[in-house]
Amino acid sequence: MKNSKICLAADLGAGSGRVLAGRYDGDRIELTEISRFANNPVQLANGWHWQFETLFGEIEAGIRKAVAAHGDEVVSVGVDTWGVDYGLLDASGSLLGPPFQYRDSRTDGMQEHAFSLMPRDEIYQRTGIQFMFFNTLFQLLAEARAPEKLLEKASSLLFLPDLINFRLTGKRAVERSIASTGQLLNAATQQWDRELIAAMNLPENIFGELVDAGTILGPMLSHPSVQVIVPGCHDTASAVAGVPADEPEPVFLSSGTWSLFGRELKKPLISEAGHQAGFSNEAGVFGTTRLLKNIAGMWLLQECKRHWDAAGSTLGYAELVAAAATQPPFAALLDPDAPEFQAPEHMPSAITRWLENSGQPALSDPAAITRCILESLALKYRQVKENLESITDRPIQRIHIVGGGSQNDLLNQFAANSTGCSVIAGPVEATSLGNILLQLYALGDIKSIEDGRALVRRSVQTKSFEPADAGEWEDAYSRYIRLTTR
């Protein structure tokens, strides 16, 4: 294809990773999968860790494969991952042990410890970030108490995509959108909050240079013709960049293991109402803020399916969802964000206990449990939508659902029914598209987020869902509120 170029997106998720090639011809982006690989944490003597060396090897292999197939058409690569997790480097650049997995129990009690050093309200006012047990702040407080004393040996902290970029280029830098997930960045200044860091008795020297999405870090050490460009290194930042909206400050729902529901704003909106409702002000791309709430998302169904598969089930996700569509509506409802579901040993049993404790019938059939999860998620979406409208004092009429969950037509329709909003589903690959948009921006091919979103609209097809069955969903929402506020 004449005058085309290829930008690679290395997108690493909590369950799997892939390298995609985005061919840009001046008008559209065409995505092709280069490689895909599993991401399985491992339990070591001191807790759950990511197999970083394996993951980096897979990403490097995907890049090599793309270069072998496409030669000098490959001009750049960008890396995005989930938030909060990090690696510690010594002065020579060696990794001081494998990065911890965010659901590891080492953070138990660390929120209370943090609040003894600085009041909870002050931490929120400084960072604007939702309190979640695995935030980097709490992981580092746990790290400080660990017998290995790695913080004393460390010269720098890099979040996972930054750590991958360091291995690719030799340059240590932290991209702002990923830094903001850690609850260590000042929302107003978009710099490390040195006063907070000092109050937590954390070593200030490990928090180094911050860079914006769209920064060219430099050539790959192994392939000097390929530039490493930082996208929104937090996968949600890239996913929101890839929302095909034509309206300003769109409302988005990035649907995957987590559901990230929020609105893009021009600046942070930190309020007591946002604090109480658990909203985060995460750094976006092009100087934007993502005012959002983390919801458990498809994690509950993924964990159920893992146990059903181990017991001999052969049903895939599409078959489970199709079977769920035939089940009676609203047989039981649950709170997807209940503490019991954060890291259970056996998710189906955890759901059974929660339903029984709330006075509802236990469910055993996978199709019925699947429908319960999907309906409950949709009702949670309405609750978050109403809180978001109240916090921003702006009505919501359209929701863009992107990511893997946007393929779930049943959940998309439930979301429209529950929220009373039009739902625009797609693209599935919003994260990789947003990643590539920031590379094209750095290379001078697009000039703004508006240019990028217009490019996405030309490149993908979306699907629309309109609200239905308003009365049934209104009754279900009233019941959901009673059950989840008990």
Side-chain angles (χ1 to χ4, degrees):
M1 189 176 294
K2 205 170 185 180
N3 297 324
S4 67
K5 65 180 64 170
I6 292 175
C7 301
L8 304 178
D11 176 25
L12 189 57
S16 65
R18 61 267 182 87
V19 176
L20 298 178
R23 182 184 293 276
Y24 175 64
D25 65 2
D27 186 55
R28 291 179 175 84
I29 299 171
E30 180 183 357
L31 289 178
T32 304
E33 184 175 295
I34 300 296
S35 65
R36 181 178 290 267
F37 47 91
N39 180 10
N40 298 312
V42 60
Q43 189 169 26
L44 303 178
N46 65 342
W48 284 94
H49 295 264
W50 299 110
Q51 299 185 70
F52 177 77
E53 299 300 339
T54 299
L55 294 173
F56 179 75
E58 292 283 4
I59 289 172
E60 203 170 34
I63 297 171
R64 280 200 308 272
K65 184 177 179 182
V67 172
H70 300 290
D72 60 8
E73 282 189 295
V74 179
V75 297
S76 63
V77 61
V79 180
D80 65 75
T81 78
W82 65 93
V84 306
D85 287 340
Y86 62 90
L88 295 173
L89 299 177
D90 66 14
S92 70
S94 297
L95 184 61
L96 296 170
F100 273 90
Q101 202 261 10
Y102 60 86
R103 291 190 189 273
D104 185 79
S105 62
R106 69 181 179 145
T107 56
D108 291 352
M110 289 302 104
Q111 291 194 57
E112 292 76 11
H113 177 43
F115 303 153
S116 73
L117 300 172
M118 178 178 282
R120 176 190 177 114
D121 289 354
E122 184 176 351
I123 296 174
Y124 186 79
Q125 285 297 316
R126 286 175 173 274
T127 66
I129 296 297
Q130 174 184 6
F131 291 98
M132 303 190 78
F133 71 93
F134 48 64
N135 288 353
T136 315
L137 170 61
F138 309 126
Q139 291 198 49
L140 288 173
L141 290 175
E143 190 89 65
R145 293 186 170 188
E148 295 85 356
K149 303 295 183 186
L150 296 186
L151 285 179
E152 296 178 7
K153 305 171 186 176
S155 69
S156 57
L157 174 148
L158 296 178
F159 290 87
L160 284 189
D162 308 313
L163 186 58
I164 294 166
N165 287 336
F166 170 69
R167 286 287 186 87
L168 293 174
T169 66
K171 182 169 183 179
R172 305 189 197 199
V174 178
E175 189 270 329
R176 277 189 173 79
S177 77
I178 197 77
S180 72
T181 67
Q183 209 158 39
L184 293 155
L185 204 70
N186 187 286
T189 66
Q190 293 296 295
Q191 301 293 330
W192 295 118
D193 194 316
R194 300 288 177 181
E195 293 182 0
L196 170 61
I197 290 166
M200 297 295 142
N201 300 312
L202 298 173
E204 293 187 50
N205 65 292
I206 67 173
F207 300 97
E209 179 189 5
L210 290 162
V211 297
D212 290 322
T215 298
I216 299 176
L217 283 186
M220 282 184 62
L221 296 174
S222 58
H223 296 92
S225 64
V226 178
Q227 294 291 325
V228 176
I229 299 173
V230 289
C233 283
H234 186 211
D235 51 13
T236 308
S238 279
V240 173
V243 167
D246 57 5
E247 70 269 26
E249 301 190 340
V251 175
F252 59 85
L253 200 168
S254 181
S255 179
T257 300
W258 290 93
S259 287
L260 295 308
F261 193 150
R263 180 164 223 149
E264 185 177 80
L265 300 176
K266 291 182 174 63
K267 61 182 180 180
L269 179 57
I270 299 176
S271 65
E272 182 57 25
H275 178 193
Q276 293 303 319
F279 276 77
S280 284
N281 289 263
E282 294 182 355
V285 301
F286 294 99
T288 59
T289 292
R290 288 169 288 119
L291 180 66
L292 61 81
K293 183 173 175 63
N294 287 267
I295 305 168
M298 298 304 291
W299 158 253
L300 281 77
L301 184 55
Q302 290 167 350
E303 280 295 287
C304 282
K305 185 178 182 300
R306 183 168 68 86
H307 287 285
W308 294 332
D309 290 351
S313 172
T314 59
L315 293 176
Y317 285 111
E319 294 165 305
L320 282 169
V321 172
T326 69
Q327 297 294 302
F330 311 119
L333 300 172
L334 52 80
D335 180 0
D337 287 330
E340 296 92 327
F341 305 140
Q342 288 183 351
E345 292 293 325
H346 192 281
M347 185 66 80
S349 297
I351 289 174
T352 295
R353 287 193 297 272
W354 198 95
L355 295 178
E356 289 177 339
N357 290 339
S358 62
Q360 299 180 87
L363 302 176
S364 57
D365 181 71
I369 293 174
T370 299
R371 182 161 189 132
C372 170
I373 291 170
L374 298 182
E375 288 176 338
S376 299
L377 271 175
L379 292 164
K380 183 77 175 187
Y381 295 162
R382 172 168 171 179
Q383 185 179 33
V384 175
K385 174 239 180 188
E386 290 182 349
N387 286 335
L388 184 58
E389 288 178 319
S390 177
I391 293 165
T392 60
D393 195 26
R394 293 169 61 184
I396 295 171
Q397 297 175 328
R398 177 188 293 178
I399 300 170
H400 292 269
I401 298 183
V402 299
S406 69
Q407 300 174 96
N408 190 327
D409 286 357
L410 186 62
L411 180 56
N412 293 336
Q413 187 61 60
F414 285 173
N417 296 350
S418 177
T419 63
C421 294
S422 298
V423 165
I424 311 299
V428 174
E429 301 291 357
T431 300
S432 293
L433 285 166
N435 179 324
I436 290 165
L437 291 184
L438 268 296
Q439 295 180 58
L440 292 174
Y441 170 76
L443 296 169
D445 292 290
I446 63 172
K447 303 301 182 186
S448 65
I449 187 64
E450 291 79 15
D451 285 352
R453 287 178 172 150
L455 175 55
V456 173
R457 291 196 297 274
R458 295 194 299 271
S459 302
V460 303
Q461 291 186 329
T462 58
K463 194 170 182 178
S464 299
F465 299 83
E466 295 300 328
D469 303 324
E472 293 179 19
W473 281 88
E474 192 67 35
D475 292 343
Y477 185 60
S478 297
R479 182 175 151 213
Y480 170 83
I481 293 298
R482 290 196 302 272
L483 287 167
T484 58
T485 55
R486 56 191 170 87

